[in-house]
């Protein structure tokens, strides 16, 4: 499944409605990022740029102009020209003809003409919608253009008198996912769930963390996908390092392994964490802690309901985990005080989720008018409680030290309650052990 030009057009129409007359919006894609010397990273289009255009080539800028009230708007796409030699070396380009024919632009220009053409487009517009702060190099160009238009006052031209942060509008639109977007995220989630299932089946004591990562990458690659963020494969105490990406240690018999890894499909991300025993069987301590987190996660998922506060799942997860820590003797004291003072941060130092979409930590504000906003249909959030007992934590009995567990799923708020996109990968102790016993 792929989005169509009709989908992208509908998004552009919605942006234009919010811009008002006599305005211009300028949006550039990301620059190509260098890896080392002349080797670059594989290009990944800027999410908001793609969200509006469906155009995934580097070196592209979209410009939308509105006229007087009620007039049509025009969409110009600046892109790389076709070039036989460059295409032999680096691959196909849509070119200016393709930009019009296949990407629905009203006008297309060679990207090299941007500095020249944009001056005329900017002249005498009232408002400029621009994503300030995304790219310092492009910000400087926009400032130079404004100055250049300003200098044409004696010719009767003036620069826009208002510059509006375009991201605020785009982020809010991207936060609310359409049925097609949910469908793409479901595909990404299914592939990622299959990858985690394979990891549970393939893991063996003595295997290297990177070898287990390769099993996940195999499933991503077989489906034409890449990871949506750097994969975390942490055995034993490495599971306590929240953004552990070295993945270069052996996986030990008796340890857990925490995998936080997922792919993106058609530019839509998934984000899954599972934690399971390297030898297929949880120890009593691992099981006890795991079940506390799983109970917290299930209750938190149930709170992803239209009308509930974004923070509700976090509050629920924290309360259940603190009670669990007290019951297991890992903490002492009064539950209310531990929550109030956030003393639980000794073991739980991150939030319970974030928006998910084209970006793994997706755009969209978390607060409105000073308060945590409420879930609406089509918002997608991760639910990812965890507990991390530092290997050198002498406040707890030695048997708990070095256990790191997180369980993460992707959840859509719908009219019928929470929809768990990532349900295809097992997570109860019994289901994990049963799956691993068969492999
Ligand atoms: N994988 C990144 C996160 O869970 O936030
Ligand atoms: Mn996450
Ligand atoms: Mn994650």
């Amino acid at each position: 499944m792929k989005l169509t030009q009709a989908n992208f057009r509908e998004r552009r129409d919605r942006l234009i409605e919010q811009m008002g007359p006599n305005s211009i919006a300028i949006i550039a894609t990301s620059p190509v990022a260098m890896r080392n010397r002349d080797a670059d990273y594989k290009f990944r289009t800027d999410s908001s740029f793609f969200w509006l255009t469906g155009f995934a080539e580097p070196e592209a800028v979209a410009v939308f102009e509105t006229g007087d009230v009620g007039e049509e708007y025009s969409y110009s796409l600046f892109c790389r020209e076709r070039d036989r030699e460059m295409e032999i070396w680096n691959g196909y380009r849509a070119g200016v003809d393709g930009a019009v024919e296949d990407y629905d632009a009203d006008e297309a220009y060679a990207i090299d003409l941007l500095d020249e053409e944009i001056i005329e487009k900017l002249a005498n517009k009232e408002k400029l919608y621009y994503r300030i702060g995304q790219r310092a190099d492009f910000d400087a160009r926009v400032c130079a253009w404004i100055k250049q238009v300003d200098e044409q006052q004696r010719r009767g031209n003036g620069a826009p008198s208002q510059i509006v942060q375009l991201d605020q509008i785009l982020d809010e639109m991207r936060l609310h996912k359409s049925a097609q977007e949910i469908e793409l995220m479901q595909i990404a989630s299914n592939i990622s769930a299959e990858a985690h299932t394979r990891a549970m089946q393939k893991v063996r004591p003595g295997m290297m963390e990177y070898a287990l990562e390769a099993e996940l990458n195999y499933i991503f690659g077989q489906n034409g996908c890449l990871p949506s963020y750097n994969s975390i494969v942490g055995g034993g105490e490495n599971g306590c390092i929240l953004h552990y990406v070295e993945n270069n240690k052996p996986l030990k018999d008796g340890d857990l392994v925490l995998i936080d890894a997922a792919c993106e499909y058609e530019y839509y991300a998934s984000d899954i964490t599972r934690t399971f025993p390297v030898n297929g069987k949880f120890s009593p301590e691992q099981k006890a802690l795991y079940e506390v987190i799983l109970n917290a996660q299930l209750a938190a998922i149930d709170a992803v309901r239209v009308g509930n506060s974004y923070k509700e799942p976090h509050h629920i997860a924290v309360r259940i985990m603190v009670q669990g820590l007290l019951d297991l003797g890992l903490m002492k004291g009064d539950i209310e005080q531990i929550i109030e003072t956030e003393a639980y941060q000794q073991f739980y130092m991150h939030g319970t989720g974030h928006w998910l979409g084209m970006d793994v930590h997706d755009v969209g504000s978390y607060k409105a008018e000073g308060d945590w906003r409420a879930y609406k249909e089509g918002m997608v959030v991760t639910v990812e409680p965890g507990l991390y007992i530092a290997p050198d934590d002498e406040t707890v009995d030695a048997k708990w030290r070095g256990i790191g567990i997180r369980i993460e799923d992707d959840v859509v708020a719908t009219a019928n309650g929470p929809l768990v996109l990532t349900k295809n990968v097992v997570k109860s102790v019994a289901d994990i052990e049963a799956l691993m016993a068969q492999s």
Side-chain angles (χ1 to χ4, degrees):
M1 189 241 168
K2 253 177 171 328
L3 295 172
T4 64
Q5 269 309 316
N7 298 132
F8 295 112
R9 194 178 320 123
E10 180 268 333
R11 294 169 175 182
R12 292 194 290 269
D13 290 348
R14 279 196 284 138
L15 167 66
I16 300 300
E17 268 170 36
Q18 296 186 59
M19 280 172 52
N22 235 350
S23 299
I24 180 168
I26 301 175
I27 178 164
T29 194
S30 336
V32 174
M34 296 313 288
R35 183 172 183 274
N36 53 309
R37 193 157 157 79
D38 62 349
D40 45 28
Y41 283 103
K42 188 176 164 112
F43 179 72
R44 181 356 179 123
T45 177
D46 175 86
S47 299
S48 286
F49 178 83
F50 185 87
W51 191 87
L52 280 171
T53 62
F55 194 73
E57 289 185 22
E59 295 180 67
V61 174
V63 178
F64 308 105
E65 293 169 84
T66 62
D68 291 334
V69 188
E71 276 190 14
E72 296 270 293
Y73 69 91
S74 79
Y75 161 32
S76 306
L77 187 57
F78 291 81
C79 62
R80 300 176 308 182
E81 281 189 287
R82 296 211 61 182
D83 178 321
R84 188 168 161 73
E85 195 184 337
M86 291 306 285
E87 288 183 55
I88 286 170
W89 283 88
N90 297 328
Y92 295 112
R93 298 171 168 197
V96 286
D97 292 338
V100 172
E101 282 158 28
D102 303 329
Y103 293 92
D104 225 8
D106 299 312
E107 292 171 351
Y109 304 85
I111 187 73
D112 297 340
L113 297 178
L114 179 62
D115 287 323
E116 198 177 311
E117 296 289 337
I118 201 75
I119 300 303
E120 204 173 308
K121 293 182 181 298
L122 271 168
N124 301 319
K125 294 289 192 311
E126 283 165 25
K127 289 190 203 164
L128 165 62
Y129 290 79
Y130 175 65
R131 308 170 71 203
I132 302 156
Q134 288 290 329
R135 283 182 58 174
D137 62 332
F138 209 80
D139 287 355
R141 271 173 90 181
V142 172
C143 290
W145 296 335
I146 291 171
K147 185 161 185 294
Q148 209 178 322
V149 179
D150 240 358
E151 284 167 356
Q152 295 183 342
Q153 286 194 19
R154 269 168 295 149
R155 278 201 253 155
N157 284 341
S161 57
Q162 287 183 49
I163 303 179
V164 184
Q165 178 56 290
L166 178 56
D167 273 334
Q168 281 194 356
I169 300 174
L170 294 178
D171 293 359
E172 184 61 24
M173 291 198 287
R174 279 179 52 192
L175 175 59
H176 306 273
K177 275 74 179 176
S178 68
Q180 291 101 328
E181 290 179 294
I182 302 287
E183 210 176 309
L184 292 172
M185 293 180 76
Q186 181 66 75
I187 296 171
S189 297
N190 290 349
I191 297 165
S192 301
E194 188 185 338
H196 277 261
T197 303
R198 183 179 171 94
M200 287 180 192
Q201 291 167 330
K202 293 281 180 182
V203 69
R204 296 286 180 272
M207 195 173 185
M208 297 300 284
E209 291 164 342
Y210 53 68
L212 193 55
E213 183 182 357
E215 298 294 345
L216 297 145
N217 286 338
Y218 176 79
I219 298 295
F220 299 159
Q222 286 295 321
N223 288 280
C225 296
L226 286 171
S228 42
Y229 53 91
N230 290 329
S231 302
I232 297 168
V233 181
E237 63 188 55
N238 296 333
C240 297
I241 304 170
L242 299 179
H243 291 159
Y244 176 78
V245 290
E246 285 89 353
N247 303 349
N248 60 1
K249 302 288 185 313
L251 294 162
K252 294 191 205 129
D253 199 354
D255 276 352
L256 295 175
V257 56
L258 182 155
I259 300 183
D260 185 345
C263 67
E264 63 177 24
Y265 180 82
E266 286 293 323
Y267 305 102
Y268 282 83
S270 52
D271 186 5
I272 303 184
T273 308
R274 289 291 184 268
T275 311
F276 49 92
V278 170
N279 65 13
K281 196 106 185 87
F282 285 85
S283 74
E285 289 75 26
Q286 291 166 351
K287 180 172 179 214
L289 210 54
Y290 187 92
E291 288 190 325
V292 167
I293 299 160
L294 183 58
N295 287 338
Q297 203 233 12
L298 292 171
I301 288 174
D302 194 58
V304 180
R305 289 183 181 274
V306 172
N308 275 1
S309 149
Y310 158 75
K311 270 285 172 188
E312 184 79 3
H314 180 67
H315 295 317
I316 288 174
V318 164
R319 182 164 289 274
I320 292 174
M321 290 197 293
V322 171
Q323 187 60 56
L325 290 164
L326 289 167
D327 295 344
L328 295 174
L330 281 146
M331 289 194 97
K332 292 191 176 47
D334 171 58
I335 184 168
E336 300 306 332
Q337 203 188 0
I338 292 171
I339 292 172
E340 172 82 23
T341 59
E342 300 187 348
Y344 59 80
Q345 289 211 8
Q346 178 182 353
F347 305 114
Y348 185 44
M349 57 299 275
H350 60 76
T352 301
H354 50 82
W355 303 135
L356 182 72
M358 295 189 74
D359 296 310
V360 66
H361 295 160
D362 206 31
V363 292
S365 65
Y366 288 87
K367 282 192 163 179
E369 288 156 21
D371 262 333
W372 298 109
R373 61 194 299 173
Y375 292 108
K376 286 195 174 153
E377 262 183 76
M379 287 182 172
V380 186
V381 71
T382 65
V383 180
E384 50 181 304
L387 290 171
Y388 314 90
I389 321 294
D392 58 355
D393 188 338
E394 303 213 335
T395 69
V396 300
D397 198 296
K399 65 183 181 183
W400 299 108
R401 292 180 203 152
I403 301 180
I405 299 170
R406 177 164 66 255
I407 309 170
E408 177 174 26
D409 283 299
D410 305 341
V411 185
V412 190
T414 79
N416 304 317
L419 168 70
V420 182
L421 296 173
T422 43
K423 63 179 182 322
N424 283 5
V425 52
V426 293
K427 63 181 172 181
S428 74
V429 166
D431 287 348
I432 291 174
E433 289 187 348
L435 175 74
M436 295 184 75
Q438 291 160 17
S439 358

